[in-house]
Amino acid sequence: MHEFFPDDAVVVVGSGNPVKLAAVRAVLASVNAAIRVEALEVASGVAAQPIGDEVTQAGARQRAQAALAAIPGAHFGVGLEGGVVHTADGGLRTCAWCVVVDRSGREGLGGSLSMPLPDRVAARIAAGEELGHAMDAEARTTGTKHGRGAVGILTAGLVDRQRAYEPMVAYAFAPWLAPAFYAPSVGR
């Protein structure tokens, strides 16, 4: 058991998306299998299709803070948000961010999932579609964002959305997993 993750720890994920919930559960199960991870649908406070790393991070932060505030006994709030970023060549790439907050106001941030999007998908997003819906249309499927994700389709199943999200969840929990490295420095 890790000192910051007691057996009675409650972690609230600010989303009802089963992929996001599964990613957090998978990471925390390796820390302490007794941690209770709950889902709570909260607003991100950003557009349905966030554009830019900063906006996507803001959406993840809002989800984490709202989830933590909604459940008085929770130890941590977790927000995960996927977005897109304009590239120098005029295309789009994916981005995804995780923010973890605790009751003291401490925050952890982790990012992952950056890959170029096909031009046809980028054109659909530029026309106002969300990435998941654009991928549904291009791949002639449904439920992309609640399943394998664009990454699962574009890597032919080599990496799915949950596995892509797990590292960023671990990165965002780093301040609690390795607290000695994140302690404030004295005299700097």
Side-chain angles (χ1 to χ4, degrees):
M1 177 177 68
H2 194 282
E3 67 180 290
F4 289 99
F5 300 94
D7 287 343
D8 65 346
V10 176
V11 176
V12 183
V13 179
S15 175
N17 186 310
V19 174
K20 294 176 180 182
L21 185 62
V24 174
R25 282 188 171 142
V27 169
L28 293 179
S30 65
V31 174
N32 182 342
I35 294 171
R36 193 170 87 223
V37 179
E38 299 179 2
L40 180 67
E41 191 68 45
V42 297
S44 69
V46 298
Q49 179 56 73
I51 298 177
D53 284 314
E54 295 80 12
V55 171
T56 308
Q57 288 172 14
R61 184 171 294 107
Q62 173 63 27
R63 287 182 186 277
Q65 292 170 342
L68 184 64
I71 308 294
H75 295 80
F76 297 96
V78 179
L80 296 102
E81 193 75 23
V84 297
V85 176
H86 292 282
T87 59
D89 65 1
L92 287 177
R93 68 167 171 84
T94 61
C95 73
W97 293 94
C98 179
V99 172
V100 174
V101 295
D102 71 11
R103 293 264 170 225
S104 73
R106 188 175 210 182
E107 178 181 301
L109 174 70
S112 181
L113 195 61
S114 180
M115 64 183 291
L117 289 170
D119 291 342
R120 292 189 330 226
V121 173
R124 286 179 170 276
I125 293 169
E129 286 185 49
E130 288 181 48
L131 174 58
H133 299 299
M135 288 305 302
D136 282 348
E138 290 297 320
R140 294 184 173 91
T141 190
T142 59
T144 297
K145 69 182 190 174
H146 291 102
R148 59 188 170 156
V151 65
I153 294 169
L154 297 174
T155 65
L158 189 61
V159 178
D160 65 23
R161 191 174 187 206
Q162 178 184 329
R163 285 187 293 169
Y165 275 14
E166 288 174 12
M168 73 179 185
V169 171
Y171 301 158
F173 272 106
W176 297 274
L177 294 169
F181 293 98
Y182 292 91
S185 298
V186 177
R188 276 209 221 183

